[in-house]
Amino acid sequence: MSCKVRLMEDGSLDEEPLTLKEIAYQKLCNNLDIISGYTENGQRTLNAGIVLTNEICDAFLENYQRFHRPLDDRVINLFSDIRRTSLKIVNLRYSTLTSQGLETLMRHKLFALSMWYCDKITVQSHHLLAHYGDSLRSLELGISSHLLQNAEPNEKEPVDFQLTCPHLRRLVLNGVVMHHRLQFAHLQDLSHLDLTSCVLANFSLEALGMLPNLHTLILFNVWPIANQLHAICCLRRLTTLDISISSSGNGHGTYDLPDQTLVMLMDNLRHLTHLDISGTNLAGNGVATKESTSMNTKTEQHFGPTDIPGLASRTQRPLQFLGLYHTAHWACKRHDIPALEVAGDANEQQILTAARYYHDRPVLLTRVLNDLYHLFRFENCKDIHTALDVVLCAMDRHLKFKHMQISGSATLFYIVKGRDRSKFGTLLRNHIIRTLLNGMEMHLTDDTMLRNGYLTLTQFHMPVDVLFEYERLIKILLHGVSKTEQEGFVQRIAIYLLNTLACQVDGRQKLFLGELGVVSTMLTLIKDRLTRSVFDDVMEVAWSTMWNVTDETAINCKRFLDGRGMEYFLKCLNTFPDRDELLRNMMGLLGNVAEVKWLRPKLMTQEFIEVFARLLDSLSDGIEVSYNAAGVLAHIASDGPDAWTIKTPTRQHVLERMVAAIQRWNIKSERNINYRSFEPILSLVRCYETPECQHWAVWALANLTQVYPDKYCQLVEQENGIQILTELIEHESPYCEIKRIARLVIEQCDMGMERMVEG
């Protein structure tokens, strides 16, 4: 497993940027129409005149999966013409190809084929190996690749097959029930054999004695193995032997004479450099007696007597690697271990070594990630970049393993919230976020996975860090808001994140939020709480979210009105009259609705106008509620007397009350509001037919430029506000107070410009 996360020269942590060639493949994968079209049955077909070399074809398949594109029969059909395309090395992971697609690939006389999590491949396709396996040098059939096994998990009947791949050098089988008639003698080139989780049944490992080049034998989770040990001892050329077990809780991995058994293996397999006995008792019950410094301290290693009796013969010739993860009697914590590299759980180095070696053992790897999680939570991890790399690699490789995604995301939370977060480069941040979203998307129904993912995302800068995956994140957040336990932690943090994203994005993204149903989802949450007469932070944030998504987005305002939003507004007002934050959020939202001219007639009812007029006198949340009520009424009144279609209250009476409210406000009041544009306010400055509307508009500009000059003076300048205000001052219609406030704005902006020039 290659390490992608690097410690850069400037001290930052990042991944290597894409090469020019990788960028070209990425563009090609996203734009297949450049080289192909469609057949009548929807299959991709290579355009006439295009010929792709082997290098291009192999790299295309690799990068197509790397950039998270679904690889299915339709895409694989690009390689149906073996005269214009050429494949040699094919690695498939999470592909939905069927037997038809696999045959298309194997017709290329592949050199290497690897399949993991390819659920659509069934045992009925195993004849393809007989037809096209002659050229194969490497065959890897990982988890959920049922080419040589029955798909049913409880089905332990062997499939009667023969490996008609005479030139195989590397063979990896996972979970296959080995038939006693299975022959290996003809695989004279085989050097690497991995039978992870295979069921030997009546199959004898003596069949491997005819393989002169076999140097690696992996028997992880193969049990019982004790009756096969003598056959293993005959494989004298072995340099790597793995007889580890993922768990010894059921008695697996427990040998009657562990010390003698290990001595027997060492005496017969003298060329071993890599040995894994994790999960077993083969390390004996030796107890460390020698004083030693902390295991995390790197010191020069001198191998003398060993605390693992069965390895006494290797004290002067230590193993390159020794797997002691979860061995009996905590063997990995002993002092004198005759190995240069140890996989265990005694310290950071052993845990990271285990993660690297066990990267394709998802159940075991989940436990390793749990150890890493505890290391980050309760201790201190020094090798951050390696830890981050193994977590990301594990989560990417084993997306469907829920518990691994949960453990990995919990570890990511502690890594990301640590002090090294500021060192993360853009590519690394993107990888972390994408990996989290992949796991959350795959396990949407698991609240723990969603909680871990949401909490980790809160450690990033919103929305800047997530804009590249904005649409996918919104869908995942909406699920958390609407499909998880009401008033539960997952729902609360999901709506918090959703509101944060809605607050700080542009109009196009606000439109997308509306299209995905954010407004209707928020209204559903509000309706639920009104039905139960419950006020909580979810209701408050739901109104805040709608306030944000309706900002300068007319269609979302319409969605609010069409979803009975005004009905819920009145009910909230009556049910929770003393909730200042709720009232502020609701009136802020209605301010956005009132800015849309063609929606204002829907607000022109006696009931609504009386409520808005009454709120002019509100002292809730400083001036916010009164200010927003005045803004709503100012926009409604700006449409002129003819648009005022109710008899009471009269237009003039409401305008007088609005001016009285404005005159009570403190021009220096701090605000809980954020304007991205002054266009709606400046349009009211031009409303000469109704000076009261101008009064509210110039007061708003004066307040914002007085209290927040650095932000809003520049905005007034940019949107031609100075000229509009100057025209107002020169016009005869506005009364004196309006012109006085307008001059305050111009003066404040002039001072702001001077400060900017001086700066």
Side-chain angles (χ1 to χ4, degrees), residues 94 399-401 405 436-445 449 476:
Y94 294 108
L399 189 57
K400 291 186 178 180
F401 275 79
Q405 297 298 318
L436 280 171
L437 295 185
N438 290 342
M440 295 165 76
E441 201 170 47
M442 177 62 69
H443 305 286
L444 266 182
T445 58
M449 182 64 213
I476 294 172

Side-chain angles (χ1 to χ4, degrees), residues 24-215:
Y25 280 116
Q26 186 180 40
K27 294 297 182 184
L28 178 61
C29 293
N30 293 331
N31 300 277
L32 284 183
D33 291 342
I34 296 172
I35 62 168
S36 66
Y38 285 101
T39 63
E40 291 182 358
N41 60 354
Q43 303 284 309
R44 282 278 180 183
T45 181
L46 207 60
N47 289 340
I50 292 181
V51 176
L52 302 179
T53 65
N54 168 242
E55 180 185 3
I56 293 175
C57 292
D58 284 356
F60 170 82
L61 276 187
E62 176 188 349
N63 285 285
Y64 197 83
Q65 296 173 98
R66 174 185 177 186
F67 298 122
H68 305 288
R69 309 286 296 182
L71 187 60
D72 53 22
D73 286 356
R74 292 178 303 170
V75 176
I76 288 173
N77 195 63
L78 284 171
F79 306 97
S80 58
D81 188 346
I82 61 176
R83 295 168 301 176
R84 295 195 290 146
T85 57
S86 173
L87 288 166
K88 292 298 180 188
I89 300 176
V90 173
N91 297 304
L92 302 174
R93 210 170 188 94
Y94 294 108
S95 172
T96 58
L97 88 165
T98 66
S99 179
Q100 178 184 348
L102 181 59
E103 183 166 11
T104 298
L105 296 175
M106 296 198 70
R107 285 176 54 236
H108 285 263
K109 298 294 183 180
L110 300 178
F111 182 88
L113 173 64
S114 172
M115 293 194 297
W116 284 77
Y117 306 111
C118 298
D119 299 340
K120 298 294 180 66
I121 297 296
T122 67
V123 70
Q124 282 72 33
S125 306
H126 79 268
H127 68 277
L128 295 174
L129 288 177
H131 288 298
Y132 304 108
D134 186 66
S135 60
L136 279 175
R137 301 303 192 271
S138 175
L139 176 62
E140 184 171 327
L141 302 178
I143 296 171
S144 296
S145 297
H146 306 295
L147 192 63
L148 299 177
Q149 65 189 105
N150 293 297
E152 294 299 325
N154 296 323
E155 179 60 68
K156 295 301 182 182
E157 283 299 315
V159 176
D160 194 358
F161 67 92
Q162 291 298 328
L163 289 163
T164 52
C165 310
H167 302 296
L168 273 183
R169 298 172 186 168
R170 183 174 182 272
L171 175 62
V172 177
L173 303 178
N174 194 300
V176 173
V177 181
M178 309 292 283
H179 200 285
H180 70 278
R181 289 195 298 271
L182 183 59
Q183 297 295 315
F184 278 87
H186 62 294
L187 304 179
Q188 292 294 292
D189 295 335
L190 193 66
S191 59
H192 180 112
L193 178 60
D194 184 340
L195 300 178
T196 290
S197 297
C198 287
V199 179
L200 298 188
N202 295 321
F203 178 80
S204 173
L205 293 179
E206 291 178 358
L208 307 182
M210 305 295 290
L211 305 178
N213 295 303
L214 187 66
H215 62 67

Side-chain angles (χ1 to χ4, degrees), residues 675-679 681-682 685-686 697-706 708-726 741-750 752-753 756:
Y675 283 99
R676 293 187 298 121
S677 170
F678 280 151
E679 193 278 328
I681 296 177
L682 291 173
V685 174
R686 299 191 187 96
V698 295
W699 191 96
L701 294 174
N703 166 249
L704 293 167
T705 53
Q706 292 275 332
Y708 310 103
D710 293 343
K711 178 177 181 179
Y712 289 118
C713 287
Q714 188 176 2
L715 191 57
V716 171
E717 294 268 2
Q718 289 173 348
E719 299 194 341
N720 202 30
I722 300 299
Q723 181 179 340
I724 294 171
L725 290 168
T726 302
I741 299 175
R743 291 190 186 95
L744 282 178
V745 179
I746 294 174
E747 291 169 5
Q748 185 69 10
C749 290
D750 288 343
M753 185 60 67
M756 190 181 300

Side-chain angles (χ1 to χ4, degrees), residues 395 399-402 405-406 409 412 432-458 472-480 490 493-494 497:
M395 294 179 70
L399 189 57
K400 291 186 178 180
F401 275 79
K402 181 176 70 174
Q405 297 298 318
I406 290 172
S409 58
L412 282 179
I432 295 171
I433 292 167
R434 189 181 294 113
T435 296
L436 280 171
L437 295 185
N438 290 342
M440 295 165 76
E441 201 170 47
M442 177 62 69
H443 305 286
L444 266 182
T445 58
D446 189 273
D447 281 9
T448 305
M449 182 64 213
L450 293 181
R451 180 198 65 195
N452 290 355
Y454 292 153
L455 282 172
T456 306
L457 289 170
T458 63
R472 193 155 66 115
L473 174 56
I474 293 299
K475 292 177 182 177
I476 294 172
L477 289 173
L478 277 175
H479 178 92
V490 172
I493 195 169
L497 279 170

Side-chain angles (χ1 to χ4, degrees), residues 161-356:
F161 67 92
Q162 291 298 328
L163 289 163
T164 52
C165 310
H167 302 296
L168 273 183
R169 298 172 186 168
R170 183 174 182 272
L171 175 62
V172 177
L173 303 178
N174 194 300
V176 173
V177 181
M178 309 292 283
H179 200 285
H180 70 278
R181 289 195 298 271
L182 183 59
Q183 297 295 315
F184 278 87
H186 62 294
L187 304 179
Q188 292 294 292
D189 295 335
L190 193 66
S191 59
H192 180 112
L193 178 60
D194 184 340
L195 300 178
T196 290
S197 297
C198 287
V199 179
L200 298 188
N202 295 321
F203 178 80
S204 173
L205 293 179
E206 291 178 358
L208 307 182
M210 305 295 290
L211 305 178
N213 295 303
L214 187 66
H215 62 67
T216 296
L217 179 60
I218 310 296
L219 298 171
F220 170 65
N221 266 359
V222 175
W223 190 262
I225 203 74
N227 59 344
Q228 304 271 10
L229 290 178
H230 288 287
I232 293 173
C233 287
C234 293
L235 305 175
R236 309 288 177 138
R237 293 183 178 82
L238 285 184
T239 58
T240 298
L241 175 64
D242 185 338
I243 51 174
S244 61
I245 294 290
S246 61
S247 174
S248 57
N250 52 11
H252 292 180
T254 302
Y255 293 83
D256 293 334
L257 300 170
D259 293 342
Q260 293 89 327
T261 300
L262 189 55
V263 168
M264 178 181 70
L265 288 170
M266 291 299 100
D267 286 347
N268 285 278
L269 305 177
R270 296 180 174 275
H271 297 292
L272 278 186
T273 58
H274 292 68
L275 174 66
D276 202 327
I277 55 174
S278 298
T280 74
N281 67 339
L282 286 175
N285 60 358
V287 178
T289 57
K290 180 179 173 183
E291 295 293 327
S292 147
T293 56
S294 169
M295 292 187 197
N296 280 318
T297 305
K298 291 185 178 179
T299 57
E300 186 177 352
Q301 293 175 292
H302 300 281
F303 293 95
T306 175
D307 292 325
I308 301 178
L311 295 179
S313 63
R314 301 304 297 261
T315 55
Q316 301 302 317
R317 193 166 54 90
L319 294 163
Q320 182 68 37
F321 166 81
L322 178 60
L324 295 176
Y325 188 77
H326 281 203
T327 43
H329 307 294
W330 301 100
C332 64
K333 294 187 177 182
R334 299 175 195 171
H335 294 275
D336 295 306
I337 300 175
L340 302 179
E341 203 171 20
V342 176
D345 58 355
N347 54 52
E348 174 184 332
Q349 187 174 0
Q350 286 189 8
I351 293 170
L352 292 177
T353 299
R356 286 190 293 107

